Amino acid sequence: MPQSTKFIIDFDSTFTQVEALDILGEISLANDPQRDQKLKAIVDITDKGMDGSLTFRESLELRLEILNASKDQISDLIEALKKKVSKSFERNKEFLQENSNDIYIISNGFKDFIIPIVADYGIQKDNVFANEFIYDQLDRIVDFNRENPLSKNNGKAETIKQINLEGDIYVIGDGYTDYEIKASGLANKFYAFTENVSRPRVTSQADHIAPSLDEILYVNNLNKKFSYPKSRIKVLLLENVHQIGVDLFKEEGYEVEVISSAMSEEELCEKIKNISILGIRSKTNVTKKVLDNANRLLSIGAFCIGTNQIDLDTCQEKGIAVFNAPFSNTRSVVEMAIAEIIFLMRSFADKSVAMHQGKWDKSATGSFEIRGKKLGIIGYGNIGAQLSVLAENMGMNVFYYDVIEKLALGNATKLNSLEELLNTCDIISLHVDGRKDNKNIIGKKEIAAMKKGAILVNLSRGHVVEIPALKDAILSGHLAGCAVDVFPEEPKNNSEPFVSELIGLPNTILTPHIGGSTLEAQENIARFVPGKIMEYINTGNTYNSVNFPNIQLPFLKDAHRLIHLHQNEPGVLAKINQILANYEINIVGQYLKTNERIGYVITDIDKAYSPDAIDELKSIKGTIRFRMLY
């Protein structure tokens, strides 16, 4: 950072996520019977002071009067504030420490708690300008130093005049008092800091709205720790992604937009143009047309198991990494399958409806235990295999069929054809993926091959069962019942009507695609998928990606990481290394993984390098995407 540049940083809601006096109020008023009313009053007064609708001195006097705090409570406040330092300041601690001579805290808060907090970030005591509490003989806070200019209106501007800073001055803050420094002609730029709070009256006056400290360092070419400010990475989350997932992206510093429903192709084509990360569930189709409009898309997260709603080939061609949650809702789906098998074998659904209509039908006719029955599982992946184990533990004889060779768990028996499975089993449960080849794998012919009185459970994909054929089999009595959770056409949101030929059929359980919709499953998915995407964005790690070569990378330390995604052609690695050798760039570590279509090369290099070398690496024939991390 040039020596002539000075940063003036506010403390409350800028350096920390909170207003310190609000937190002091929670401590000092803990046992006050009017605690909630008083805390709300403090927050209201703070906001009025920050947006300029109340003079600062009035705001300060009113708050201290309500607080009724003491010196010993300041220690508790300091401990609380240390846990509330703004995320982007934590991320850039090294920058603050390295440039501490040119960083000043000028705050309307109080030195008593500010100095201990900022000292951990290397900021010098002499560079902290703030108010000072006055205590009585019992160490109660009774007043503030009224001679201190920061206790008065326009105090920050007056303070800067007194300390006589030279050179360019950049102010970072969230309040109107921070803008006043620029308005007084004492600063070159005012950055409205909105990571924690955004005040329209303040942002409207800013030279630049800064969602994080990363953004400020980036626009001033000072960002040595992060290659790109996270606040510029836009995330779009559709279809009611669990709040945990939303929060994880926000905590990382990304700009997050949430839409509760799915989007049509046309809607998504327009919406995706400036999006870097897209999160969807099963109803949103990410087509080639959508991807052709995705100019900045780095990654897609499928907050579910399946990824057939995503054009994976086009994502690969465009260098877009796709991640899903292959295990996170497995248990939920399996438990639902077991429950539905039991319900169908006992006709519970129909008996429950009859009871609600006042009909008493106590009979064992058509009711069976599941113990000893033959369960046929089509698709022996994560869900099919776990269903196999649970069903066997409940006394069922398990058979399965899969087009891929899979190891049988427990005493399950692999059958060599779909027809053999259908002829053999009393219950058929579908757990295949959504590839196009699986359309109507259970059609009229296959249903006819099932045993008379068998039941069918489909918790996989809507298009794998021919619905008219299933309806005919239920009405004719060939099948004793069915449970369907997925449908060829599904409503995009809860306000659209559900239409199906299966409505009203006997011993038929219809559920609105909720196999994985348990709180446990949604929380697991919401933690897993963002974690994988953020690992990829931050480190280049592609482990668990469904369309990229999988590489699990070490942490990046004291190096820059070059990520080169290219068509899988001979000689690309040699070209990369030749360019690095030509520019005398030392390789610290290198990792290569390919699949049949693309190659993924990670090269960690010493920090010193020529920008021309980067340009040449980007120009290698067959390059799909190049990223640089540091």
Side-chain angles (χ1 to χ4, degrees), residues 458-503:
N458 182 19
L459 303 180
S460 58
R461 294 292 184 275
H463 66 270
V464 304
V465 174
E466 188 181 335
I467 297 298
L470 177 59
K471 176 184 176 181
D472 291 344
I474 295 291
L475 290 176
S476 69
H478 178 65
L479 295 185
C482 66
V484 182
D485 186 50
V486 286
F487 304 87
E489 299 291 332
E490 296 182 358
K492 286 188 171 62
N493 54 54
N494 290 343
S495 62
E496 288 189 8
F498 167 66
V499 178
S500 173
E501 294 180 58
L502 302 177
I503 292 174

Side-chain angles (χ1 to χ4, degrees), residues 119-228:
D120 290 346
Y121 292 77
I123 297 171
Q124 302 164 21
K125 180 179 179 180
D126 291 343
N127 283 11
V128 176
F129 296 86
N131 280 301
E132 301 139 307
F133 287 127
I134 293 177
Y135 304 90
D136 66 10
Q137 291 179 334
L138 298 176
D139 282 341
R140 292 176 300 198
I141 298 171
V142 292
D143 205 353
F144 51 89
N145 179 359
R146 292 174 179 264
E147 298 304 313
N148 188 325
L150 287 164
S151 72
K152 305 171 186 177
N153 297 332
N154 210 27
K156 291 187 177 182
E158 186 60 35
T159 299
I160 290 179
K161 287 179 185 176
Q162 289 184 11
I163 60 179
N164 194 27
L165 294 178
E166 295 181 354
D168 292 339
I169 296 175
Y170 295 165
V171 177
I172 304 170
D174 67 286
Y176 197 79
T177 56
D178 303 303
Y179 162 68
E180 286 179 336
I181 301 171
K182 170 73 186 298
S184 300
L186 296 169
N188 301 77
K189 289 183 181 178
F190 168 56
Y191 293 92
F193 189 80
T194 60
E195 182 172 327
N196 305 310
V197 63
S198 179
R199 297 182 170 92
R201 190 176 177 213
V202 178
T203 55
S204 65
Q205 304 290 346
D207 295 297
H208 192 98
I209 296 173
S212 66
L213 182 58
D214 308 323
E215 171 75 13
I216 296 166
L217 300 184
Y218 180 78
V219 297
N220 287 291
N221 296 316
L222 299 170
N223 198 338
K224 296 180 180 179
K225 187 170 178 62
F226 297 100
S227 42
Y228 193 72

Side-chain angles (χ1 to χ4, degrees), residues 254-271:
Y254 299 151
E255 181 184 332
V256 182
E257 182 178 359
V258 178
I259 296 175
S260 60
S261 64
M263 298 186 83
S264 68
E265 184 179 58
E266 290 303 319
E267 289 171 326
L268 195 52
C269 282
E270 183 60 33
K271 194 73 178 173

Side-chain angles (χ1 to χ4, degrees), residues 352-621:
S352 177
V353 170
M355 290 288 284
H356 282 284
Q357 295 170 347
K359 299 174 185 176
W360 183 272
D361 180 18
K362 179 176 168 59
S363 169
T365 303
S367 291
F368 305 94
E369 292 182 353
I370 65 169
R371 181 175 53 175
K373 300 301 182 291
K374 295 176 181 177
L375 170 64
I377 299 172
I378 301 175
Y380 205 67
N382 298 321
I383 292 174
Q386 190 167 144
L387 174 59
S388 169
V389 172
L390 264 66
E392 186 178 318
N393 285 338
M394 297 184 76
M396 301 186 79
N397 299 316
V398 180
F399 300 84
Y400 72 93
Y401 171 73
D402 200 302
V403 293
I404 299 172
E405 189 65 37
K406 296 286 181 69
L407 176 67
L409 300 181
N411 295 313
T413 302
K414 182 181 186 298
L415 297 182
N416 295 319
S417 70
L418 177 60
E419 184 178 9
E420 184 181 4
L421 187 87
L422 297 173
N423 291 334
T424 301
C425 296
D426 307 301
I427 302 143
I428 301 295
S429 192
L430 286 157
H431 300 285
V432 297
D433 63 34
R435 70 186 71 180
K436 292 178 182 177
D437 294 348
N438 285 334
K439 183 174 182 180
N440 290 342
I441 58 167
I442 301 297
K444 186 174 182 179
K445 175 186 172 185
E446 288 75 23
I447 290 173
M450 292 173 65
K451 293 170 69 173
K452 181 173 174 56
I455 65 172
L456 177 68
V457 176
N458 182 19
L459 303 180
S460 58
R461 294 292 184 275
H463 66 270
V464 304
V465 174
E466 188 181 335
I467 297 298
L470 177 59
K471 176 184 176 181
D472 291 344
I474 295 291
L475 290 176
S476 69
H478 178 65
L479 295 185
C482 66
V484 182
D485 186 50
V486 286
F487 304 87
E489 299 291 332
E490 296 182 358
K492 286 188 171 62
N493 54 54
N494 290 343
S495 62
E496 288 189 8
F498 167 66
V499 178
S500 173
E501 294 180 58
L502 302 177
I503 292 174
L505 296 184
N507 204 25
T508 296
I509 300 172
L510 304 181
T511 48
H513 204 148
I514 55 171
S517 297
T518 62
L519 287 177
E520 293 90 346
Q522 293 308 304
E523 287 179 11
N524 289 339
I525 292 169
R527 293 183 195 281
F528 186 86
V529 176
K532 293 301 172 187
I533 291 175
M534 290 186 289
E535 261 191 88
Y536 170 66
I537 299 294
N538 293 342
T539 71
N541 199 333
T542 57
Y543 192 68
N544 282 121
S545 169
V546 297
N547 69 326
F548 273 29
N550 276 207
I551 296 182
Q552 195 157 16
L553 297 162
F555 288 108
L556 182 63
K557 188 175 181 182
D558 297 325
H560 282 206
R561 178 163 285 171
L562 310 180
I563 297 175
H564 195 277
L565 184 70
H566 54 270
Q567 303 291 342
N568 188 7
E569 299 171 355
V572 175
L573 182 61
K575 290 175 185 176
I576 290 171
N577 290 342
Q578 186 59 57
I579 290 169
L580 296 177
N582 292 344
Y583 284 91
E584 298 183 345
I585 296 172
N586 184 47
I587 296 175
V588 178
Q590 193 166 53
Y591 316 88
L592 166 67
K593 196 77 178 284
T594 62
N595 61 26
E596 64 278 5
R597 297 183 65 187
I598 61 173
Y600 192 63
V601 177
I602 307 292
T603 308
D604 292 348
I605 64 172
D606 285 343
K607 290 187 178 181
Y609 57 88
S610 165
D612 293 339
I614 302 303
D615 292 338
E616 286 196 34
L617 290 169
K618 291 178 181 178
S619 301
I620 292 174
K621 185 181 177 183

Side-chain angles (χ1 to χ4, degrees), residues 237 240-250 258 522-523 526:
L237 300 177
N240 276 327
V241 166
H242 193 281
Q243 188 62 39
I244 287 174
V246 179
D247 292 342
L248 285 171
F249 281 123
K250 285 183 176 179
V258 178
Q522 293 308 304
E523 287 179 11

